[in-house]
Amino acid sequence: MLELYNAPQSTCSQKVRLVLAEKHLEFSEHKLKLFQNDQLKPEYLKLNPNGVVPTLVHDGVPIIDSSVIIEYLDEEYPTNRLSPSTNKERARMRAWLRFFEEVPTVAVRFPSYNAAFARHFAKMSEEEFQSLAKSKPLRDKFLGEMDKEKGFSTDKLMQAEASIRKTATRMEPSLAASDYLLGADISLADFCVLPAMIRMEDLGYEFLWSDKSGVVAWLARMKRRPSYKAAYYPGSLLSEQYPGIREEHQSKRAAAFGDAA
């Protein structure tokens, strides 16, 4: 019995849904409403003390952290294996996973919060916002650095863009030579980074990799897979939840970066 506690728009949740779909695994889905703080309720914190999504529960045992979850699923259900067969190749895959966790996974949070999530915080008093930030077991420092009215600074957005550009540059040699990051066969590495790239594309940042033909072709290839359609069901994209968000965000970006220049 597999149960997934997640949120439709969460990139880390999307990562796990992609792997579940690719491996044709059935699961029971619990959709948490993050802006109603479902992830901070005592019953959920018993499953995941970090207070974030996703959490996979397998036969009553919670598994937390999206990259841990996808490796667990691949080891527990070896059909349609998404990890290489040799230790050296698995090490190469895990090096990609660590890089994606450290660089693009972190980077997408800044434009995402500015574009979509800041509007929820703007309605709060400063005391309410600070109290919310402090209540986050894993994101307290991150949220505490955000201005509830303006979002994150232009410097933070510039750093985020640089991180996504760095990611595309790192991926390009592999994808110029083969269909997927590890070669001819798709792996967990491809699914680990895909949600970050989809999120940035959804917010209008595809110009950060438009000159990387291997990355462009890979992204189109990944979006044609049945697992993509299954994982990205209606409501998974920010542009579906917030109509016009792409244009609105890029307009604000242009104004802010013009001032920064």
Side-chain angles (χ1 to χ4, degrees):
M1 177 68 176
L2 291 171
E3 297 179 79
L4 181 66
Y5 292 79
N6 79 143
Q9 76 279 9
S10 156
T11 55
C12 290
S13 297
Q14 291 158 2
K15 183 196 308 184
V16 174
R17 296 202 304 266
L18 283 163
V19 171
L20 285 164
E22 188 72 22
K23 295 178 76 66
H24 306 292
L25 295 173
E26 295 185 2
F27 63 98
S28 174
E29 184 177 15
H30 305 278
K31 296 180 182 178
L32 275 62
K33 296 180 180 179
L34 302 185
F35 288 104
Q36 293 183 18
N37 292 323
D38 286 353
Q39 76 278 23
L40 300 178
K41 292 179 178 178
E43 58 268 30
Y44 183 73
L45 290 174
K46 288 180 181 179
L47 297 175
N48 189 331
N50 290 332
V52 295
V53 290
T55 296
L56 180 77
V57 178
H58 185 200
D59 293 336
V61 178
I63 315 294
I64 64 174
D65 187 280
S66 58
S67 289
V68 173
I69 293 170
I70 62 175
E71 285 207 69
Y72 175 84
L73 287 170
D74 206 39
E75 291 169 353
E76 190 73 10
Y77 300 95
T79 303
N80 297 329
R81 197 64 188 257
L82 297 174
S83 299
S85 58
T86 69
N87 289 336
K88 290 184 175 61
E89 283 299 294
R90 282 197 299 276
R92 191 159 73 95
M93 180 192 76
R94 287 175 177 138
W96 276 117
L97 297 184
R98 300 296 89 79
F99 175 79
F100 294 146
E101 289 162 359
E102 293 286 337
V103 182
T105 298
V106 175
V108 298
R109 294 175 191 149
F110 296 101
S112 296
Y113 271 73
N114 275 29
F117 308 144
R119 67 190 70 198
H120 297 278
F121 304 134
K123 301 172 184 176
M124 299 179 178
S125 68
E126 186 61 32
E127 289 181 353
E128 289 173 329
F129 177 69
Q130 292 302 326
S131 177
L132 174 64
K134 291 175 183 177
S135 73
K136 302 277 188 177
L138 201 64
R139 301 275 190 265
D140 51 345
K141 186 177 184 297
F142 169 78
L143 201 56
E145 293 176 347
M146 179 182 180
D147 184 304
K148 78 177 190 69
E149 302 290 344
K150 300 178 182 178
F152 288 101
S153 67
T154 300
D155 284 346
K156 290 287 189 183
L157 291 179
M158 287 181 169
Q159 291 168 20
E161 291 188 19
S163 291
I164 298 301
R165 178 68 179 173
K166 180 191 296 184
T167 299
T169 300
R170 179 78 67 93
M171 294 166 64
E172 179 63 18
S174 296
L175 296 175
S178 57
D179 283 352
Y180 302 105
L181 286 167
L182 295 185
D185 297 325
I186 199 167
S187 76
L188 295 178
D190 298 285
F191 291 114
C192 185
V193 70
L194 179 61
M197 303 297 279
I198 294 295
R199 169 60 56 79
M200 294 300 282
E201 180 186 57
D202 194 39
L203 293 178
Y205 285 98
E206 59 268 37
F207 61 86
L208 292 173
W209 61 82
S210 59
D211 61 334
K212 308 294 184 186
S213 59
V215 174
V216 171
W218 167 85
L219 189 57
R221 191 177 302 119
M222 294 295 289
K223 290 165 73 174
R224 288 195 297 268
R225 299 185 74 85
S227 57
Y228 176 83
K229 182 176 291 187
Y232 281 83
Y233 49 69
S236 296
L237 297 177
L238 292 183
S239 59
E240 294 172 321
Q241 296 187 348
Y242 306 96
I245 192 175
R246 174 189 174 99
E247 294 76 16
E248 175 188 295
H249 178 64
Q250 286 300 320
S251 177
K252 289 180 178 178
R253 174 195 176 275
F257 279 34
D259 292 341

Coordinates of all heavy atoms in Angstrom, one line a residue, residues 4 6-22 27 29 31 108 190-203 218-219 222-241:
L4 N 0.7 8.8 -0.9 CA 1.5 9.9 -1.2 C 0.8 11.2 -0.6 O -0.3 11.5 -1.1 CB 1.8 10.1 -2.7 CG 2.7 11.3 -3.0 CD1 4.1 11.1 -2.5 CD2 2.7 11.5 -4.5
N6 N 1.1 15.0 -0.7 CA 1.8 15.9 -1.6 C 0.9 17.1 -1.9 O -0.3 17.2 -1.4 CB 2.3 15.2 -2.8 CG 1.3 15.0 -3.9 OD1 1.6 15.1 -5.1 ND2 0.0 14.6 -3.5
A7 N 1.4 18.0 -2.7 CA 0.6 19.1 -3.2 C 0.8 19.2 -4.7 O 1.9 19.0 -5.2 CB 1.1 20.4 -2.6
P8 N -0.3 19.5 -5.5 CA -0.2 19.5 -6.9 C 0.9 20.3 -7.5 O 1.6 20.0 -8.4 CB -1.6 20.0 -7.4 CG -2.5 19.6 -6.3 CD -1.7 19.7 -5.0
Q9 N 1.1 21.6 -6.9 CA 2.0 22.5 -7.5 C 3.4 22.4 -6.9 O 4.4 23.1 -7.4 CB 1.5 24.0 -7.2 CG 1.7 24.5 -5.8 CD 0.7 24.0 -4.8 OE1 -0.1 23.1 -5.2 NE2 0.7 24.5 -3.6
S10 N 3.7 21.5 -6.0 CA 5.0 21.4 -5.4 C 5.9 20.6 -6.3 O 5.7 19.5 -6.8 CB 4.9 20.6 -4.1 OG 6.1 19.9 -3.7
T11 N 7.1 21.3 -6.6 CA 8.0 20.6 -7.6 C 8.6 19.3 -7.0 O 8.8 18.4 -7.7 CB 9.2 21.6 -7.9 OG1 9.8 22.0 -6.7 CG2 8.7 22.8 -8.7
C12 N 8.8 19.3 -5.7 CA 9.3 18.0 -5.1 C 8.3 16.9 -5.1 O 8.6 15.8 -5.3 CB 9.8 18.3 -3.7 SG 11.3 19.3 -3.6
S13 N 7.0 17.3 -5.0 CA 5.9 16.4 -5.1 C 5.8 15.9 -6.6 O 5.6 14.7 -6.8 CB 4.6 17.0 -4.7 OG 4.5 17.4 -3.4
Q14 N 6.0 16.8 -7.5 CA 5.9 16.4 -8.9 C 7.0 15.4 -9.3 O 6.8 14.4 -10.1 CB 6.1 17.6 -9.8 CG 4.9 18.5 -9.7 CD 5.1 20.0 -10.1 OE1 6.2 20.3 -10.5 NE2 4.1 20.8 -10.0
K15 N 8.2 15.5 -8.7 CA 9.3 14.6 -8.9 C 8.9 13.2 -8.5 O 9.1 12.2 -9.3 CB 10.5 15.0 -8.0 CG 11.7 14.2 -8.2 CD 12.8 14.4 -7.1 CE 13.1 15.8 -6.8 NZ 14.2 15.9 -5.8
V16 N 8.2 13.0 -7.4 CA 7.8 11.7 -6.9 C 6.7 11.2 -7.8 O 6.7 10.0 -8.1 CB 7.4 11.8 -5.4 CG1 6.8 10.4 -5.0 CG2 8.6 12.1 -4.6
R17 N 5.7 12.1 -8.2 CA 4.6 11.6 -9.0 C 5.2 11.1 -10.4 O 4.6 10.2 -10.9 CB 3.6 12.7 -9.2 CG 2.9 13.1 -7.9 CD 1.6 13.8 -8.2 NE 1.6 15.0 -9.0 CZ 1.7 16.2 -8.6 NH1 1.9 16.5 -7.3 NH2 1.7 17.2 -9.5
L18 N 6.2 11.8 -10.9 CA 6.8 11.4 -12.2 C 7.3 9.9 -12.1 O 7.1 9.1 -13.0 CB 7.9 12.3 -12.6 CG 7.5 13.7 -13.2 CD1 8.6 14.6 -13.1 CD2 7.0 13.5 -14.6
V19 N 8.0 9.7 -11.0 CA 8.6 8.3 -10.8 C 7.6 7.3 -10.6 O 7.6 6.2 -11.2 CB 9.7 8.3 -9.7 CG1 10.1 6.9 -9.4 CG2 10.9 9.2 -10.1
L20 N 6.6 7.6 -9.8 CA 5.4 6.7 -9.6 C 4.8 6.3 -10.9 O 4.4 5.2 -11.2 CB 4.4 7.3 -8.6 CG 4.8 7.3 -7.1 CD1 3.9 8.2 -6.4 CD2 4.7 5.9 -6.5
A21 N 4.6 7.4 -11.7 CA 3.9 7.1 -13.0 C 4.8 6.4 -14.0 O 4.3 5.5 -14.7 CB 3.5 8.5 -13.6
E22 N 6.1 6.7 -14.0 CA 7.0 6.0 -14.9 C 7.1 4.5 -14.6 O 7.3 3.7 -15.5 CB 8.4 6.7 -14.8 CG 9.4 6.2 -15.9 CD 9.1 6.7 -17.3 OE1 8.3 7.7 -17.5 OE2 9.5 6.0 -18.3
F27 N -1.1 4.2 -6.3 CA -1.0 4.8 -4.9 C -2.2 5.6 -4.6 O -3.0 6.0 -5.5 CB 0.3 5.7 -4.9 CG 0.2 6.9 -5.8 CD1 -0.2 8.2 -5.3 CD2 0.6 6.8 -7.2 CE1 -0.2 9.3 -6.2 CE2 0.5 7.9 -8.0 CZ 0.1 9.1 -7.5
E29 N -3.5 9.1 -3.1 CA -3.0 10.4 -3.1 C -3.8 11.3 -2.1 O -5.0 11.4 -2.1 CB -3.0 11.1 -4.4 CG -2.4 12.5 -4.4 CD -2.3 13.1 -5.8 OE1 -3.1 12.6 -6.7 OE2 -1.6 14.1 -6.0
K31 N -3.9 15.1 -1.1 CA -3.5 16.5 -1.6 C -3.6 17.5 -0.4 O -4.7 17.7 0.1 CB -4.4 16.9 -2.7 CG -4.2 16.1 -4.0 CD -5.1 16.6 -5.1 CE -5.0 15.7 -6.4 NZ -5.9 16.2 -7.5
V108 N 14.7 27.6 -7.7 CA 13.3 27.9 -8.2 C 12.4 28.4 -7.1 O 11.4 29.0 -7.4 CB 12.7 26.6 -8.8 CG1 13.5 26.1 -10.0 CG2 12.5 25.5 -7.7
D190 N 17.1 12.4 -14.5 CA 16.2 13.1 -15.4 C 15.0 13.6 -14.7 O 14.5 14.8 -14.9 CB 15.9 12.3 -16.7 CG 17.1 11.9 -17.5 OD1 17.6 12.7 -18.2 OD2 17.5 10.7 -17.4
F191 N 14.4 12.7 -13.9 CA 13.1 13.1 -13.2 C 13.4 14.0 -12.1 O 12.5 14.8 -11.7 CB 12.4 11.8 -12.8 CG 11.9 11.0 -13.9 CD1 12.3 9.7 -14.2 CD2 10.9 11.5 -14.7 CE1 11.8 9.0 -15.2 CE2 10.3 10.8 -15.7 CZ 10.8 9.5 -16.0
C192 N 14.6 14.0 -11.5 CA 14.9 14.9 -10.4 C 14.9 16.3 -10.8 O 14.5 17.2 -10.1 CB 16.3 14.5 -9.8 SG 16.7 15.4 -8.3
V193 N 15.5 16.6 -12.0 CA 15.6 18.0 -12.4 C 14.4 18.5 -13.2 O 14.2 19.7 -13.3 CB 16.9 18.2 -13.2 CG1 16.9 17.5 -14.6 CG2 17.3 19.7 -13.3
L194 N 13.7 17.6 -13.8 CA 12.6 18.0 -14.7 C 11.6 19.0 -14.1 O 11.3 20.1 -14.7 CB 11.8 16.8 -15.2 CG 10.7 17.1 -16.2 CD1 11.1 17.9 -17.4 CD2 9.9 15.8 -16.5
P195 N 11.1 18.8 -12.8 CA 10.2 19.8 -12.3 C 10.7 21.2 -12.1 O 10.0 22.2 -12.3 CB 9.8 19.2 -10.9 CG 10.0 17.7 -11.1 CD 11.3 17.6 -12.0
A196 N 12.0 21.3 -11.8 CA 12.6 22.6 -11.7 C 12.6 23.4 -13.0 O 12.3 24.6 -13.1 CB 14.0 22.5 -11.2
M197 N 12.9 22.6 -14.1 CA 12.9 23.2 -15.4 C 11.5 23.6 -15.9 O 11.3 24.6 -16.5 CB 13.6 22.3 -16.4 CG 15.0 21.9 -16.0 SD 16.2 23.3 -16.0 CE 16.5 23.4 -17.7
I198 N 10.5 22.7 -15.6 CA 9.1 23.0 -15.9 C 8.7 24.2 -15.2 O 8.0 25.1 -15.7 CB 8.2 21.8 -15.6 CG1 8.6 20.6 -16.5 CG2 6.8 22.1 -15.8 CD1 8.4 20.8 -18.0
R199 N 9.0 24.4 -13.9 CA 8.6 25.5 -13.1 C 9.2 26.8 -13.7 O 8.4 27.8 -13.9 CB 9.1 25.4 -11.7 CG 8.9 26.6 -10.8 CD 7.5 27.1 -10.7 NE 6.6 26.1 -10.1 CZ 6.5 25.8 -8.8 NH1 7.2 26.4 -7.9 NH2 5.6 24.9 -8.5
M200 N 10.4 26.8 -14.1 CA 11.1 28.0 -14.6 C 10.5 28.3 -16.0 O 10.2 29.5 -16.3 CB 12.6 27.8 -14.7 CG 13.2 27.7 -13.4 SD 13.0 29.2 -12.3 CE 14.2 30.3 -13.0
E201 N 10.2 27.3 -16.8 CA 9.5 27.5 -18.1 C 8.1 28.1 -17.9 O 7.7 29.0 -18.6 CB 9.4 26.2 -18.8 CG 8.8 26.3 -20.2 CD 8.5 24.9 -20.8 OE1 7.9 24.1 -20.2 OE2 9.0 24.7 -22.0
D202 N 7.4 27.6 -16.9 CA 6.1 28.1 -16.6 C 6.1 29.6 -16.2 O 5.1 30.3 -16.5 CB 5.5 27.2 -15.5 CG 4.0 27.4 -15.4 OD1 3.3 27.5 -16.4 OD2 3.5 27.4 -14.2
L203 N 7.2 30.0 -15.6 CA 7.3 31.4 -15.2 C 8.0 32.3 -16.3 O 8.2 33.5 -16.0 CB 8.0 31.5 -13.9 CG 7.3 30.9 -12.7 CD1 8.1 31.0 -11.4 CD2 5.9 31.6 -12.4
W218 N 15.8 17.7 -24.9 CA 15.5 16.8 -23.8 C 14.2 17.2 -23.1 O 13.4 16.3 -22.8 CB 16.7 16.9 -22.8 CG 16.4 16.3 -21.4 CD1 16.6 15.0 -21.1 CD2 16.0 17.0 -20.2 NE1 16.2 14.8 -19.7 CE2 15.9 16.0 -19.2 CE3 15.7 18.3 -20.0 CZ2 15.5 16.4 -17.9 CZ3 15.3 18.7 -18.7 CH2 15.2 17.7 -17.7
L219 N 14.0 18.5 -22.9 CA 12.8 18.9 -22.2 C 11.6 18.6 -23.0 O 10.6 18.1 -22.5 CB 12.9 20.4 -22.0 CG 11.8 21.1 -21.2 CD1 11.7 20.4 -19.8 CD2 12.0 22.6 -21.1
M222 N 11.0 14.8 -22.7 CA 10.5 14.4 -21.4 C 9.0 14.7 -21.3 O 8.2 13.9 -20.7 CB 11.2 15.1 -20.2 CG 12.7 14.8 -20.1 SD 13.0 13.1 -19.5 CE 12.4 13.1 -17.8
K223 N 8.6 15.8 -21.9 CA 7.2 16.2 -21.8 C 6.3 15.3 -22.7 O 5.1 15.3 -22.6 CB 7.0 17.7 -22.2 CG 7.6 18.6 -21.2 CD 7.8 20.0 -21.7 CE 6.6 20.8 -21.9 NZ 6.8 22.2 -22.3
R224 N 6.9 14.6 -23.6 CA 6.1 13.6 -24.4 C 5.9 12.3 -23.8 O 5.0 11.5 -24.2 CB 6.8 13.4 -25.8 CG 6.8 14.6 -26.7 CD 7.2 14.2 -28.1 NE 8.6 13.7 -28.2 CZ 9.6 14.4 -28.5 NH1 9.5 15.8 -28.7 NH2 10.8 13.9 -28.6
R225 N 6.5 12.0 -22.7 CA 6.4 10.7 -22.0 C 5.0 10.7 -21.3 O 4.5 11.7 -20.7 CB 7.5 10.5 -21.0 CG 8.9 10.5 -21.6 CD 9.9 10.1 -20.6 NE 9.9 8.7 -20.2 CZ 10.5 7.7 -20.9 NH1 11.2 8.0 -22.0 NH2 10.4 6.5 -20.5
P226 N 4.3 9.5 -21.3 CA 3.1 9.4 -20.6 C 3.2 9.7 -19.1 O 2.2 10.2 -18.5 CB 2.7 7.9 -20.8 CG 3.4 7.5 -22.1 CD 4.7 8.3 -22.0
S227 N 4.3 9.5 -18.5 CA 4.4 9.8 -17.1 C 4.3 11.3 -16.8 O 3.9 11.7 -15.7 CB 5.8 9.3 -16.6 OG 6.9 9.8 -17.3
Y228 N 4.7 12.1 -17.8 CA 4.6 13.6 -17.6 C 3.1 14.0 -17.5 O 2.7 14.7 -16.6 CB 5.3 14.3 -18.8 CG 5.1 15.8 -18.7 CD1 5.9 16.6 -17.9 CD2 4.1 16.5 -19.4 CE1 5.7 18.0 -17.7 CE2 3.9 17.8 -19.3 CZ 4.7 18.6 -18.4 OH 4.5 19.9 -18.3
K229 N 2.3 13.5 -18.4 CA 0.9 13.8 -18.4 C 0.2 13.3 -17.1 O -0.6 14.0 -16.6 CB 0.2 13.2 -19.6 CG -1.3 13.6 -19.7 CD -1.9 13.0 -21.0 CE -1.4 13.8 -22.2 NZ -2.1 13.4 -23.5
A230 N 0.6 12.1 -16.7 CA 0.0 11.6 -15.4 C 0.4 12.4 -14.2 O -0.4 12.7 -13.3 CB 0.5 10.1 -15.3
A231 N 1.7 12.8 -14.1 CA 2.2 13.6 -13.0 C 1.7 15.0 -13.0 O 1.4 15.6 -11.9 CB 3.7 13.5 -12.9
Y232 N 1.6 15.6 -14.1 CA 1.2 17.0 -14.3 C -0.3 17.1 -14.6 O -0.7 17.5 -15.7 CB 2.1 17.7 -15.3 CG 3.4 18.1 -14.7 CD1 4.5 17.2 -14.7 CD2 3.6 19.4 -14.2 CE1 5.7 17.6 -14.1 CE2 4.9 19.8 -13.7 CZ 5.9 18.8 -13.6 OH 7.1 19.2 -13.1
Y233 N -1.1 16.6 -13.7 CA -2.5 16.6 -13.9 C -3.0 18.1 -13.8 O -2.2 19.0 -13.3 CB -3.3 15.7 -13.0 CG -2.9 15.8 -11.5 CD1 -3.2 16.9 -10.8 CD2 -2.2 14.8 -10.9 CE1 -2.8 17.0 -9.4 CE2 -1.8 14.8 -9.6 CZ -2.1 16.0 -8.9 OH -1.7 16.1 -7.5
P234 N -4.2 18.4 -14.2 CA -4.7 19.8 -14.1 C -4.5 20.4 -12.7 O -4.9 19.8 -11.7 CB -6.2 19.7 -14.5 CG -6.2 18.5 -15.4 CD -5.2 17.6 -14.9
G235 N -4.0 21.6 -12.7 CA -3.7 22.3 -11.5 C -2.3 22.2 -11.0 O -2.0 22.8 -9.9
S236 N -1.5 21.5 -11.7 CA -0.1 21.3 -11.2 C 0.8 22.5 -11.6 O 1.9 22.6 -11.0 CB 0.5 20.0 -11.9 OG -0.2 18.9 -11.4
L237 N 0.5 23.2 -12.6 CA 1.3 24.4 -13.0 C 0.8 25.7 -12.3 O -0.4 25.9 -12.2 CB 1.2 24.6 -14.5 CG 1.8 23.4 -15.4 CD1 1.6 23.7 -16.9 CD2 3.3 23.2 -15.1
L238 N 1.7 26.5 -12.0 CA 1.3 27.8 -11.4 C 0.5 28.6 -12.3 O -0.4 29.3 -11.9 CB 2.6 28.6 -10.9 CG 3.4 28.0 -9.8 CD1 4.5 28.9 -9.4 CD2 2.5 27.7 -8.6
S239 N 0.8 28.5 -13.6 CA 0.0 29.3 -14.6 C -1.4 28.9 -14.7 O -2.3 29.6 -15.2 CB 0.7 29.2 -16.0 OG 0.8 27.9 -16.4
E240 N -1.7 27.6 -14.2 CA -3.1 27.2 -14.2 C -3.8 27.7 -12.9 O -5.0 28.0 -13.0 CB -3.1 25.6 -14.2 CG -2.6 25.0 -15.5 CD -2.5 23.5 -15.4 OE1 -2.1 23.0 -14.3 OE2 -2.8 22.8 -16.4
Q241 N -3.1 27.8 -11.9 CA -3.6 28.3 -10.6 C -3.8 29.8 -10.6 O -4.7 30.3 -10.0 CB -2.8 27.8 -9.4 CG -2.7 26.3 -9.3 CD -2.0 25.9 -8.0 OE1 -1.3 26.7 -7.4 NE2 -2.1 24.6 -7.7

